[in-house]
Amino acid sequence: HNEMVRHLQQHDRRTRPGTFMAWHRWGFERFDGMLVARHVKDLTPADGERLQHALYHARQIHEPEELCNWFNERSEKLAEGKIWRVLGPVLENHLQWVEEVLGPEHPETVTPLNCLALLLDNLAQTEKAESLCRRALKTLESNYGPDHPEIATTLNNLAWLLHTSARNAEAEELFHRALAIKESTYGHDHISVAITLNNLARLLHTVARNEEAEPLFRRALGTFEATYGPDHVSIASTLNNLALLLSDLQRGNEAEALFR
């Protein structure tokens, strides 16, 4: 029974701290080890439950910031697996814990806020997602100022959210701000810059500003190819985006080559 478990653990914490820590290390390694071994394409709702179990044990053996770094890495991987409904409660629980332990405006709240926003957006809860993104942005700006590189990621997320809600003028402004921060921080040929270029180009394509979008797609594609090589899976979406644009411009032969 849960109450028996709780009292026994409290007793062990007082009288046998070594045993208490060893038990939680074993539990953490057991559940986290399963997550480490999983490929994104093979993730299932059971992996969300494993993350919850691993988190329970991690809180007993890790310092708060160490725990946050671990959780951020695991939750971002699981979010890629699209197991959103089971992942949501775990993210909410972790966010509440971070707020209680480190404070509601601590920078460590930003990653769970961004992940929750992504999850809610995919569940068509756009207003809640936007509110979380704006809170994450405000937290970063109050801690680091307006031009810190970590702010660019949240700007990019918020811009994409606004774009999917057809608020393209607001989204374009945020994409340009994110792009300026990334280029200033990393240079013009960094992979992070290419991601924002690709997103901005998609927005411009949506609003039929194709002549502006094409060079951005090509620049993003060049960076991806220089970083990953010509046949990396990450390049496929940009090839597809550029091919769609060329098709709209009646440049079918060029588009076909890219689709192929």
Side-chain angles (χ1 to χ4, degrees), residues 127-148:
E127 289 185 10
K128 290 183 180 178
E130 181 183 346
S131 175
L132 295 181
C133 267
R134 291 196 182 279
R135 183 183 155 194
L137 182 60
K138 183 179 178 181
T139 297
L140 286 170
E141 288 175 334
S142 65
N143 279 277
Y144 301 131
D147 300 318
H148 192 275

Side-chain angles (χ1 to χ4, degrees), residues 52-65:
Q52 188 161 10
H53 289 306
L55 179 61
Y56 165 70
H57 292 291
R59 286 176 180 166
Q60 310 302 323
I61 62 174
H62 292 321
E63 292 298 320
E65 294 200 1

Side-chain angles (χ1 to χ4, degrees), residues 67-133:
L67 183 147
C68 289
N69 290 335
W70 162 79
F71 183 84
N72 293 344
E73 182 179 328
R74 293 291 180 270
S75 60
E76 287 172 354
K77 176 182 177 180
L78 265 63
E80 290 180 30
K82 306 188 189 316
I83 51 173
W84 297 309
R85 292 190 184 279
V86 70
L87 189 57
V90 189
L91 286 164
E92 289 173 351
N93 179 273
H94 177 63
L95 177 60
Q96 182 179 3
W97 180 86
V98 174
E99 290 171 336
E100 291 172 355
V101 173
L102 299 175
E105 297 181 1
H106 194 280
E108 289 294 352
T109 62
V110 170
T111 297
L113 283 169
N114 278 331
C115 285
L116 266 175
L118 172 66
L119 182 150
L120 291 170
D121 182 38
N122 281 290
L123 295 176
Q125 298 182 40
T126 307
E127 289 185 10
K128 290 183 180 178
E130 181 183 346
S131 175
L132 295 181
C133 267

Side-chain angles (χ1 to χ4, degrees), residues 150-193:
E150 287 193 28
I151 290 173
T153 299
T154 300
L155 285 169
N156 192 78
N157 293 345
L158 178 57
W160 188 253
L161 184 66
L162 294 172
H163 170 50
T164 59
S165 303
R167 292 158 64 184
N168 291 315
E170 296 173 75
E172 183 179 353
E173 182 180 347
L174 296 184
F175 276 137
H176 279 294
R177 184 180 162 197
L179 186 61
I181 292 172
K182 289 184 176 185
E183 288 179 331
S184 174
T185 303
Y186 305 120
H188 291 267
D189 300 320
H190 193 273
I191 195 70
S192 183
V193 172

